[in-house]
Amino acid sequence: MIILFGTKTIYKDMGIVGNYECSRCHNVSEWKFMEYRNWFTLFFIPVFPISRKHEYLQCPICNQAYTVPDDVK
Ligand SMILES: [Zn+2]
């Protein structure tokens, strides 16, 4: 029997946090609050997380990622 295991990064869209100007594309748009974690997978099914939760903000136009400022958390 072959046991297939590996890792997978799962992204979670936590919704819109507000309108900000992107320093990369200079558009004012609704930024998304994103979360991701690396998971251990068994037969491609995520079983348990193997990393802490990472949070970032993302510009929906150019997909530039930003660290989350303390006043948004
Ligand atoms: Zn942008």
Side-chain angles (χ1 to χ4, degrees):
M1 186 180 153
I2 301 166
I3 297 173
L4 288 172
F5 60 90
T7 60
K8 187 182 177 170
T9 306
I10 296 179
Y11 292 85
K12 223 164 135 186
D13 187 339
M14 304 300 285
I16 306 291
V17 279
N19 283 289
Y20 297 100
E21 188 187 330
C22 178
S23 62
R24 187 174 165 203
C25 67
H26 301 287
N27 287 295
V28 177
S29 53
E30 292 181 323
W31 284 18
K32 286 189 293 188
F33 188 89
M34 300 291 290
E35 249 181 43
Y36 72 91
R37 233 172 205 209
N38 294 321
W39 287 72
F40 176 83
T41 61
L42 202 56
F43 296 102
F44 309 106
I45 298 162
V47 184
F48 57 84
I50 52 170
S51 78
R52 66 176 187 87
K53 195 167 67 180
H54 300 273
E55 299 169 323
Y56 65 97
L57 300 177
Q58 192 177 44
C59 168
I61 294 166
C62 67
N63 289 329
Q64 173 75 13
Y66 296 91
T67 53
V68 181
D70 286 335
D71 61 332
V72 178
K73 277 183 188 174

